[in-house]
PDB file of all heavy atoms in Angstrom:
ATOM      1  N   ARG A  20      63.587  -4.502  88.061  1.00 85.00           N
ATOM      2  CA  ARG A  20      64.372  -3.270  87.973  1.00 85.00           C
ATOM      3  C   ARG A  20      63.607  -2.146  88.662  1.00 85.00           C
ATOM      4  O   ARG A  20      62.389  -2.077  88.577  1.00 85.00           O
ATOM      5  CB  ARG A  20      64.656  -2.900  86.517  1.00 85.00           C
ATOM      6  CG  ARG A  20      65.474  -3.959  85.797  1.00 85.00           C
ATOM      7  CD  ARG A  20      65.827  -3.518  84.408  1.00 85.00           C
ATOM      8  NE  ARG A  20      66.549  -4.562  83.676  1.00 85.00           N
ATOM      9  CZ  ARG A  20      67.006  -4.440  82.446  1.00 85.00           C
ATOM     10  NH1 ARG A  20      66.773  -3.322  81.766  1.00 85.00           N
ATOM     11  NH2 ARG A  20      67.666  -5.436  81.874  1.00 85.00           N
ATOM     12  N   THR A  21      64.325  -1.282  89.324  1.00 86.00           N
ATOM     13  CA  THR A  21      63.705  -0.232  90.123  1.00 86.00           C
ATOM     14  C   THR A  21      63.519   1.029  89.291  1.00 86.00           C
ATOM     15  O   THR A  21      64.435   1.458  88.575  1.00 86.00           O
ATOM     16  CB  THR A  21      64.567   0.094  91.354  1.00 86.00           C
ATOM     17  OG1 THR A  21      64.759  -1.106  92.110  1.00 86.00           O
ATOM     18  CG2 THR A  21      63.889   1.142  92.231  1.00 86.00           C
ATOM     19  N   TYR A  22      62.303   1.619  89.407  1.00 86.00           N
ATOM     20  CA  TYR A  22      62.020   2.880  88.735  1.00 86.00           C
ATOM     21  C   TYR A  22      62.823   3.995  89.389  1.00 86.00           C
ATOM     22  O   TYR A  22      63.001   4.032  90.618  1.00 86.00           O
ATOM     23  CB  TYR A  22      60.529   3.227  88.864  1.00 86.00           C
ATOM     24  CG  TYR A  22      59.673   2.748  87.715  1.00 86.00           C
ATOM     25  CD1 TYR A  22      59.163   1.454  87.688  1.00 86.00           C
ATOM     26  CD2 TYR A  22      59.375   3.604  86.662  1.00 86.00           C
ATOM     27  CE1 TYR A  22      58.371   1.018  86.648  1.00 86.00           C
ATOM     28  CE2 TYR A  22      58.575   3.180  85.611  1.00 86.00           C
ATOM     29  CZ  TYR A  22      58.072   1.884  85.609  1.00 86.00           C
ATOM     30  OH  TYR A  22      57.293   1.475  84.567  1.00 86.00           O
ATOM     31  N   THR A  23      63.323   4.907  88.555  1.00 84.00           N
ATOM     32  CA  THR A  23      63.958   6.129  89.063  1.00 84.00           C
ATOM     33  C   THR A  23      63.423   7.312  88.279  1.00 84.00           C
ATOM     34  O   THR A  23      63.222   7.229  87.063  1.00 84.00           O
ATOM     35  CB  THR A  23      65.488   6.078  88.932  1.00 84.00           C
ATOM     36  OG1 THR A  23      65.833   5.884  87.561  1.00 84.00           O
ATOM     37  CG2 THR A  23      66.077   4.975  89.786  1.00 84.00           C
ATOM     38  N   GLU A  24      63.163   8.410  89.009  1.00 83.00           N
ATOM     39  CA  GLU A  24      62.658   9.623  88.380  1.00 83.00           C
ATOM     40  C   GLU A  24      63.372  10.822  88.975  1.00 83.00           C
ATOM     41  O   GLU A  24      64.149  10.693  89.938  1.00 83.00           O
ATOM     42  CB  GLU A  24      61.132   9.725  88.586  1.00 83.00           C
ATOM     43  CG  GLU A  24      60.346   8.604  87.917  1.00 83.00           C
ATOM     44  CD  GLU A  24      58.853   8.714  88.147  1.00 83.00           C
ATOM     45  OE1 GLU A  24      58.435   9.637  88.889  1.00 83.00           O
ATOM     46  OE2 GLU A  24      58.093   7.870  87.618  1.00 83.00           O
ATOM     47  N   TYR A  25      63.117  11.985  88.405  1.00 83.00           N
ATOM     48  CA  TYR A  25      63.755  13.212  88.861  1.00 83.00           C
ATOM     49  C   TYR A  25      62.668  14.193  89.279  1.00 83.00           C
ATOM     50  O   TYR A  25      61.640  14.336  88.603  1.00 83.00           O
ATOM     51  CB  TYR A  25      64.625  13.823  87.759  1.00 83.00           C
ATOM     52  CG  TYR A  25      65.845  12.990  87.433  1.00 83.00           C
ATOM     53  CD1 TYR A  25      65.778  11.982  86.468  1.00 83.00           C
ATOM     54  CD2 TYR A  25      67.060  13.213  88.102  1.00 83.00           C
ATOM     55  CE1 TYR A  25      66.887  11.211  86.169  1.00 83.00           C
ATOM     56  CE2 TYR A  25      68.174  12.440  87.801  1.00 83.00           C
ATOM     57  CZ  TYR A  25      68.088  11.449  86.846  1.00 83.00           C
ATOM     58  OH  TYR A  25      69.192  10.682  86.551  1.00 83.00           O
ATOM     59  N   ASN A  26      62.921  14.885  90.408  1.00 82.00           N
ATOM     60  CA  ASN A  26      61.950  15.874  90.883  1.00 82.00           C
ATOM     61  C   ASN A  26      62.245  17.234  90.286  1.00 82.00           C
ATOM     62  O   ASN A  26      63.081  17.363  89.378  1.00 82.00           O
ATOM     63  CB  ASN A  26      61.950  15.920  92.411  1.00 82.00           C
ATOM     64  CG  ASN A  26      63.333  16.274  92.977  1.00 82.00           C
ATOM     65  OD1 ASN A  26      64.177  16.853  92.261  1.00 82.00           O
ATOM     66  ND2 ASN A  26      63.575  15.943  94.227  1.00 82.00           N
ATOM     67  N   GLU A  27      61.566  18.272  90.807  1.00 81.00           N
ATOM     68  CA  GLU A  27      61.723  19.621  90.254  1.00 81.00           C
ATOM     69  C   GLU A  27      63.134  20.162  90.457  1.00 81.00           C
ATOM     70  O   GLU A  27      63.584  21.032  89.703  1.00 81.00           O
ATOM     71  CB  GLU A  27      60.703  20.557  90.912  1.00 81.00           C
ATOM     72  CG  GLU A  27      59.248  20.174  90.618  1.00 81.00           C
ATOM     73  CD  GLU A  27      58.280  21.094  91.343  1.00 81.00           C
ATOM     74  OE1 GLU A  27      58.756  21.917  92.159  1.00 81.00           O
ATOM     75  OE2 GLU A  27      57.061  20.964  91.096  1.00 81.00           O
ATOM     76  N   ASN A  28      63.824  19.694  91.470  1.00 83.00           N
ATOM     77  CA  ASN A  28      65.196  20.153  91.735  1.00 83.00           C
ATOM     78  C   ASN A  28      66.242  19.288  91.030  1.00 83.00           C
ATOM     79  O   ASN A  28      67.428  19.366  91.363  1.00 83.00           O
ATOM     80  CB  ASN A  28      65.467  20.146  93.240  1.00 83.00           C
ATOM     81  CG  ASN A  28      64.531  21.084  93.977  1.00 83.00           C
ATOM     82  OD1 ASN A  28      64.179  22.152  93.458  1.00 83.00           O
ATOM     83  ND2 ASN A  28      64.129  20.687  95.194  1.00 83.00           N
ATOM     84  N   ASN A  29      65.759  18.462  90.082  1.00 83.00           N
ATOM     85  CA  ASN A  29      66.643  17.585  89.311  1.00 83.00           C
ATOM     86  C   ASN A  29      67.347  16.571  90.201  1.00 83.00           C
ATOM     87  O   ASN A  29      68.464  16.134  89.910  1.00 83.00           O
ATOM     88  CB  ASN A  29      67.677  18.408  88.519  1.00 83.00           C
ATOM     89  CG  ASN A  29      68.196  17.661  87.306  1.00 83.00           C
ATOM     90  OD1 ASN A  29      67.493  16.820  86.743  1.00 83.00           O
ATOM     91  ND2 ASN A  29      69.426  17.950  86.905  1.00 83.00           N
ATOM     92  N   GLU A  30      66.651  16.198  91.303  1.00 86.00           N
ATOM     93  CA  GLU A  30      67.206  15.201  92.201  1.00 86.00           C
ATOM     94  C   GLU A  30      66.587  13.838  91.875  1.00 86.00           C
ATOM     95  O   GLU A  30      65.385  13.712  91.663  1.00 86.00           O
ATOM     96  CB  GLU A  30      66.898  15.561  93.663  1.00 86.00           C
ATOM     97  CG  GLU A  30      67.555  16.877  94.090  1.00 86.00           C
ATOM     98  CD  GLU A  30      67.115  17.297  95.473  1.00 86.00           C
ATOM     99  OE1 GLU A  30      66.110  16.715  95.984  1.00 86.00           O
ATOM    100  OE2 GLU A  30      67.739  18.193  96.039  1.00 86.00           O
ATOM    101  N   ARG A  31      67.417  12.825  91.857  1.00 87.00           N
ATOM    102  CA  ARG A  31      66.975  11.488  91.494  1.00 87.00           C
ATOM    103  C   ARG A  31      66.328  10.803  92.710  1.00 87.00           C
ATOM    104  O   ARG A  31      66.844  10.875  93.825  1.00 87.00           O
ATOM    105  CB  ARG A  31      68.166  10.666  91.004  1.00 87.00           C
ATOM    106  CG  ARG A  31      67.787   9.317  90.423  1.00 87.00           C
ATOM    107  CD  ARG A  31      69.036   8.636  89.884  1.00 87.00           C
ATOM    108  NE  ARG A  31      68.718   7.340  89.292  1.00 87.00           N
ATOM    109  CZ  ARG A  31      69.625   6.522  88.760  1.00 87.00           C
ATOM    110  NH1 ARG A  31      70.918   6.897  88.754  1.00 87.00           N
ATOM    111  NH2 ARG A  31      69.263   5.362  88.250  1.00 87.00           N
ATOM    112  N   TYR A  32      65.170  10.130  92.475  1.00 86.00           N
ATOM    113  CA  TYR A  32      64.489   9.416  93.559  1.00 86.00           C
ATOM    114  C   TYR A  32      63.734   8.229  92.946  1.00 86.00           C
ATOM    115  O   TYR A  32      63.539   8.146  91.743  1.00 86.00           O
ATOM    116  CB  TYR A  32      63.525  10.337  94.302  1.00 86.00           C
ATOM    117  CG  TYR A  32      62.281  10.673  93.524  1.00 86.00           C
ATOM    118  CD1 TYR A  32      61.079   9.983  93.736  1.00 86.00           C
ATOM    119  CD2 TYR A  32      62.297  11.670  92.537  1.00 86.00           C
ATOM    120  CE1 TYR A  32      59.946  10.277  93.011  1.00 86.00           C
ATOM    121  CE2 TYR A  32      61.165  11.965  91.808  1.00 86.00           C
ATOM    122  CZ  TYR A  32      59.993  11.275  92.058  1.00 86.00           C
ATOM    123  OH  TYR A  32      58.861  11.566  91.333  1.00 86.00           O
ATOM    124  N   SER A  33      63.291   7.322  93.811  1.00 86.00           N
ATOM    125  CA  SER A  33      62.526   6.140  93.381  1.00 86.00           C
ATOM    126  C   SER A  33      61.078   6.298  93.837  1.00 86.00           C
ATOM    127  O   SER A  33      60.827   6.423  95.049  1.00 86.00           O
ATOM    128  CB  SER A  33      63.115   4.863  93.993  1.00 86.00           C
ATOM    129  OG  SER A  33      64.405   4.616  93.505  1.00 86.00           O
ATOM    130  N   PRO A  34      60.130   6.290  92.903  1.00 88.00           N
ATOM    131  CA  PRO A  34      58.719   6.339  93.313  1.00 88.00           C
ATOM    132  C   PRO A  34      58.349   5.068  94.079  1.00 88.00           C
ATOM    133  O   PRO A  34      58.928   4.005  93.851  1.00 88.00           O
ATOM    134  CB  PRO A  34      57.956   6.438  91.989  1.00 88.00           C
ATOM    135  CG  PRO A  34      58.878   5.876  90.977  1.00 88.00           C
ATOM    136  CD  PRO A  34      60.266   6.211  91.435  1.00 88.00           C
ATOM    137  N   LEU A  35      57.384   5.175  94.990  1.00 88.00           N
ATOM    138  CA  LEU A  35      56.990   4.061  95.849  1.00 88.00           C
ATOM    139  C   LEU A  35      55.783   3.327  95.265  1.00 88.00           C
ATOM    140  O   LEU A  35      54.933   3.913  94.598  1.00 88.00           O
ATOM    141  CB  LEU A  35      56.649   4.578  97.256  1.00 88.00           C
ATOM    142  CG  LEU A  35      57.771   5.355  97.963  1.00 88.00           C
ATOM    143  CD1 LEU A  35      57.300   5.801  99.344  1.00 88.00           C
ATOM    144  CD2 LEU A  35      59.052   4.527  98.047  1.00 88.00           C
ATOM    145  N   ASP A  36      55.739   2.014  95.547  1.00 87.00           N
ATOM    146  CA  ASP A  36      54.595   1.229  95.088  1.00 87.00           C
ATOM    147  C   ASP A  36      53.462   1.317  96.121  1.00 87.00           C
ATOM    148  O   ASP A  36      53.513   2.123  97.060  1.00 87.00           O
ATOM    149  CB  ASP A  36      55.004  -0.222  94.823  1.00 87.00           C
ATOM    150  CG  ASP A  36      55.528  -0.925  96.081  1.00 87.00           C
ATOM    151  OD1 ASP A  36      55.306  -0.417  97.196  1.00 87.00           O
ATOM    152  OD2 ASP A  36      56.158  -1.988  95.937  1.00 87.00           O
ATOM    153  N   ASP A  37      52.487   0.428  95.994  1.00 83.00           N
ATOM    154  CA  ASP A  37      51.293   0.503  96.832  1.00 83.00           C
ATOM    155  C   ASP A  37      51.569   0.146  98.290  1.00 83.00           C
ATOM    156  O   ASP A  37      50.779   0.498  99.169  1.00 83.00           O
ATOM    157  CB  ASP A  37      50.214  -0.436  96.276  1.00 83.00           C
ATOM    158  CG  ASP A  37      49.921  -0.139  94.813  1.00 83.00           C
ATOM    159  OD1 ASP A  37      49.493   0.980  94.510  1.00 83.00           O
ATOM    160  OD2 ASP A  37      50.134  -1.042  93.979  1.00 83.00           O
ATOM    161  N   GLU A  38      52.649  -0.568  98.576  1.00 85.00           N
ATOM    162  CA  GLU A  38      52.968  -0.965  99.944  1.00 85.00           C
ATOM    163  C   GLU A  38      54.067  -0.105 100.553  1.00 85.00           C
ATOM    164  O   GLU A  38      54.573  -0.393 101.628  1.00 85.00           O
ATOM    165  CB  GLU A  38      53.390  -2.442  99.975  1.00 85.00           C
ATOM    166  CG  GLU A  38      52.317  -3.407  99.485  1.00 85.00           C
ATOM    167  CD  GLU A  38      51.085  -3.373 100.381  1.00 85.00           C
ATOM    168  OE1 GLU A  38      51.208  -3.012 101.568  1.00 85.00           O
ATOM    169  OE2 GLU A  38      49.990  -3.723  99.891  1.00 85.00           O
ATOM    170  N   GLY A  39      54.482   0.986  99.839  1.00 86.00           N
ATOM    171  CA  GLY A  39      55.487   1.900 100.372  1.00 86.00           C
ATOM    172  C   GLY A  39      56.916   1.532 100.063  1.00 86.00           C
ATOM    173  O   GLY A  39      57.854   2.146 100.597  1.00 86.00           O
TER     174      GLY A  39
END
Side-chain angles (χ1 to χ4, degrees):
R20 298 184 183 181
T21 303
Y22 267 85
T23 58
E24 296 179 357
Y25 292 89
N26 59 21
E27 297 177 353
N28 299 324
N29 204 28
E30 297 173 346
R31 188 176 181 181
Y32 73 98
S33 295
L35 303 180
D36 61 16
D37 305 299
E38 299 297 335

